[in-house]
Amino acid sequence: MHRAVVLLSILTLTTGGAVLLPAGGALAGVHLRPKPTQHAAADTASEQRQVLTYWTERRMEAAQPLDAPDPKNGEQAALGAPAEGTPWTAPPTGATRAAAEPQAARSSGEPWTGSGAVVKTTGRVFFTTQGRNASCSGSAVTSANKSVVLTAGHCVKLNGTFHTNWVFVPGYNNGNRPFGTWAATKLLTTQQWNASEDMNFDVAAAVVAPLEGRTLVDAVGGQGVAFNQGRRQQMYAFGYPAAAPYDGSKLIHCSGRTFDDFLASEDHGLTCNMTGGSSGGPWMLNFNEATGLGTQNSVNSFKYNFAPNWMFGPYFGNEAQSVYQAAQSTNAL
């Protein structure tokens, strides 16, 4: 039975150095993980200046999600399953050992009115794809090079082509860019997303160049990141949805216990009303509302068009971990 799938960054028009060691573990077997696909972005100073000049306030406000790719041969493409390995965690930058607060009542898509690190580490992603400007979401994470943004695979490559003019705007708020605009020097995604846009592997990272002599994490902090964790846990999801009833101007969040997709993927599911533009925003375990810190364990990825109140995000297994490890080992200059 065919089930239509809609990627979240494409909803609006139709529906409105060193390697960090894991906490409590070693890097055993990491060298055996599948290597991600890597793509050079603005990797020279002159290219970075051009990209930053390109993104005027007007262009950011006019950026729109894209049309969904047509189903292959009229039916759902065969999907692979993420490989699972040893649980691995890197803590948030600047986190204390204080226990996480109890989870808040379920939210299905409300503006984030709190403060804390999440308002700085989460941001909008802007890029050009096939001649059009579009937006996604992303998150700064703790990393050896202090320069890694995690996002969705389709937020770096879609319909067989890597996006250009790729930037991250942490803390975006009603058109304001309080922490600047950060140009990507390299884009990375899983082999499976690169080869066939398999939604089970819709994960990507960007390495961003320093801005005014500072790295991204030095400027805004970094969320923790974890791989090969248990399922059906309490999570918070964040993003900048731009399709109605949202407009991309503010940070939105959902929270609740995840469930396993029982339809067509191996993804986590979450009751969440976020729409196009929220793709790539972080899903976090052990989120502390007071500090705004948590441990990223997925990203906003897709929705089924017949279930608009459900959001799905890929399982962070070995392939996602390989993307992160390669990104944090990359020279950001």
Side-chain angles (χ1 to χ4, degrees):
M1 177 179 179
H2 171 61
R3 298 181 175 92
V5 175
V6 182
L7 296 174
L8 286 180
S9 67
I10 48 186
L11 266 168
T12 11
L13 299 182
T14 57
T15 66
V19 175
L20 289 179
L21 291 175
L27 285 175
V30 167
H31 64 287
L32 298 177
R33 300 183 194 281
K35 293 183 178 179
T37 298
Q38 304 187 32
H39 178 78
D43 57 359
T44 67
S46 61
E47 289 176 343
Q48 291 157 23
R49 286 192 296 270
Q50 291 173 6
V51 169
L52 296 180
T53 299
Y54 179 83
W55 284 111
T56 62
E57 181 178 352
R58 181 177 180 180
R59 282 190 171 125
M60 286 186 177
E61 290 180 350
Q64 293 289 325
L66 310 173
D67 295 327
D70 294 330
K72 298 175 181 178
N73 299 321
E75 58 186 39
Q76 181 64 48
L79 303 179
E84 297 185 33
T86 304
W88 192 104
T89 302
T93 299
T96 66
R97 293 186 178 273
E101 291 185 339
Q103 297 290 320
R106 181 186 298 275
S107 168
S108 60
E110 300 296 325
W112 177 252
T113 57
S115 56
V118 70
V119 302
K120 299 192 296 182
T121 58
T122 313
R124 292 189 77 180
V125 169
F126 295 94
F127 50 85
T128 303
T129 180
Q130 298 179 336
R132 303 170 63 186
N133 293 331
S135 71
C136 276
S137 301
S139 179
V141 294
T142 187
S143 52
N145 59 12
K146 299 183 177 182
S147 301
V148 174
V149 176
L150 290 184
T151 188
H154 67 274
C155 295
V156 303
K157 183 181 182 183
L158 189 62
N159 296 325
T161 304
F162 276 93
H163 308 323
T164 59
N165 295 324
W166 203 101
V167 297
F168 177 61
V169 184
Y172 185 95
N173 185 22
N174 286 305
N176 297 314
R177 300 181 243 177
F179 307 104
T181 303
W182 302 72
T185 64
K186 182 169 287 188
L187 303 173
L188 305 92
T189 190
T190 59
Q191 291 182 9
Q192 293 85 351
W193 183 263
N194 181 66
S196 61
E197 297 183 356
D198 183 333
M199 76 180 86
N200 285 339
F201 301 91
D202 186 19
V203 181
V207 179
V208 296
L211 184 63
E212 298 178 353
R214 302 181 71 192
T215 65
L216 177 64
V217 170
D218 284 339
V220 303
Q223 298 292 343
V225 62
F227 303 94
N228 291 306
Q229 303 297 303
R231 290 178 175 268
R232 297 177 290 282
Q233 299 196 59
Q234 291 284 341
M235 285 200 199
Y236 279 68
F238 292 88
Y240 284 87
Y246 307 101
D247 61 7
S249 65
K250 59 179 66 71
L251 183 63
I252 305 297
H253 80 291
C254 299
S255 64
R257 184 172 294 278
T258 63
F259 57 91
D260 294 337
D261 182 11
F262 53 86
L263 296 172
S265 80
E266 301 292 329
D267 283 16
H268 307 284
L270 181 67
T271 298
C272 185
N273 296 327
M274 283 195 281
T275 59
S278 65
S279 284
W283 290 30
M284 286 188 276
L285 298 168
N286 303 318
F287 183 75
N288 186 311
E289 288 194 344
T291 64
L293 290 171
T295 305
Q296 185 165 348
N297 193 225
S298 189
V299 295
N300 298 319
S301 175
F302 76 94
K303 287 188 169 187
Y304 296 103
N305 61 4
F306 54 84
N309 298 325
W310 288 350
M311 174 86 72
F312 293 91
Y315 181 80
F316 271 20
N318 289 352
E319 295 83 3
Q321 184 175 356
S322 179
V323 170
Y324 168 75
Q325 295 288 12
Q328 73 158 343
S329 302
T330 297
N331 188 340
L333 299 178

